Amino acid sequence: MSVPINKSALVSYLDPMSAASEAYRSLRANLRFGAEDPSTILVTSSLHGEGKTTTVSNLAIAYAQEGHKVILIDAHWKIPRLHQVFSVSNKIGLSDVLLQRHSVDESVCNTSIANLSLLTSGPLQQYSTQLICSDQVISLIEKLRKTYNFIFFDSPPVLQSTDAQIIAALCDGVLLVIKSGKTRQGHIAQAINRLEQIKAPVLGVVLNDKKRSRAISL
Ligand SMILES: Nc1ncnc2c1ncn2[C@@H]1O[C@H](COP(=O)(O)OP(=O)(O)OP(=O)(O)O)[C@@H](O)[C@H]1O
Ligand SMILES: [Mg+2]
């Protein structure tokens, strides 16, 4: 049975004692490599619908619940979802920041979850594939680092958009989501290959929606 997106994407908030929430906390713990705790993380997958938004939302919540200041950014222009997940407006967002129509401060909004802020995608632009360029993303990350301990990006599938690759190359780490029983091995290999080509630091793979064990593992 499929769970409505805002429910599965917010399970860590809505049902913190659930097995799913525990799995996201365990994923968070696995990402803490001693002194090296990656602070900018992009979550992607090979193709559509594999659980990027669900994973990045719950992971960001797990970090926020530890008391860190966290921002979640929706860089999936064509199918933005984070504004729906967190029930906020998408009138102003990342596209406005990149086009310098609004400042970062004007564009970031609070969520109902303590310590978690959101930068929605913003309105879809006609040429939004050209919006993302490395220099702007570097400058955005630099600005956000002054306020937030951790920065998470939701993204398009890495095999279908170069945006994910551009951002991946600038993050401390990338997580590749695989949908249990659905994502094909060939697509996983191609996605990892794309990420390796741009020297993106792949931290691991998240096995999502694994029915029997109800677990999500690295
Ligand atoms: N672990 C899970 N348990 C239950 N439902 C899930 C799980 N992961 C994802 N889903 C559901 O699967 C659908 C796709 O998930 P999600 O939106 O997170 O994928 P996505 O990779 O972000 O998709 P897109 O490529 O369209 O951005 C949603 O309806 C979501 O609620
Ligand atoms: Mg998504």
Side-chain angles (χ1 to χ4, degrees):
M1 191 178 76
S2 96
V3 182
I5 185 160
N6 50 349
K7 225 172 167 189
S8 57
L10 294 179
V11 68
S12 297
Y13 174 62
L14 297 173
D15 190 2
M17 302 311 286
S18 64
S21 301
E22 182 52 40
Y24 289 113
R25 284 194 293 274
S26 160
L27 173 59
R28 189 281 175 266
N30 275 288
L31 291 170
R32 192 189 289 119
F33 301 131
E36 287 173 45
D37 195 0
S39 63
T40 49
I41 297 177
L42 174 122
V43 175
T44 193
S45 71
S46 51
L47 297 172
H48 281 295
E50 295 173 313
K52 298 176 288 297
T53 299
T54 304
T55 302
V56 79
S57 301
N58 282 294
L59 193 55
I61 293 169
Y63 277 67
Q65 285 172 338
E66 287 183 344
H68 303 295
K69 287 206 79 181
V70 178
I71 184 158
L72 182 50
I73 302 172
D74 197 339
H76 195 168
W77 307 105
K78 287 190 181 160
I79 316 177
R81 284 277 187 262
L82 289 178
H83 61 288
Q84 293 171 345
V85 168
F86 291 92
S87 305
V88 298
S89 161
N90 192 26
K91 261 185 156 175
I92 301 177
L94 179 59
S95 57
D96 299 292
V97 173
L98 298 179
L99 289 168
Q100 300 180 344
R101 290 196 303 218
H102 287 281
S103 68
V104 173
D105 288 347
E106 285 166 348
S107 308
V108 169
C109 61
N110 292 324
T111 68
S112 49
I113 297 169
N115 302 317
L116 181 61
S117 299
L118 182 62
L119 181 56
T120 63
S121 69
L124 181 66
Q125 307 298 318
Q126 202 178 352
Y127 302 106
S128 29
T129 48
Q130 291 155 24
L131 272 183
I132 290 264
C133 80
S134 298
D135 287 351
Q136 284 173 313
V137 177
I138 290 169
S139 144
L140 175 66
I141 289 174
E142 268 173 17
K143 271 185 205 143
L144 292 174
R145 272 191 205 277
K146 290 179 188 150
T147 308
Y148 300 96
N149 306 117
F150 292 94
I151 302 168
F152 288 90
F153 288 92
D154 191 5
S155 75
V158 73
L159 295 184
Q160 295 186 342
S161 161
T162 53
D163 287 350
Q165 293 174 58
I166 292 169
I167 302 171
L170 303 171
C171 284
D172 299 334
V174 176
L175 286 175
L176 185 71
V177 178
I178 290 171
K179 187 157 188 176
S180 179
K182 182 185 168 225
T183 310
R184 294 183 176 185
Q185 277 192 6
H187 290 147
I188 300 168
Q190 277 179 46
I192 290 175
N193 194 23
R194 289 265 169 101
L195 292 167
E196 282 179 351
Q197 274 171 9
I198 51 141
K199 299 192 170 28
V202 180
L203 299 170
V205 168
V206 178
L207 182 61
N208 182 36
D209 212 4
K210 191 165 184 291
K211 300 288 183 216
R212 286 180 190 219
S213 70
R214 292 177 294 158
I216 294 174
S217 54
L218 267 180

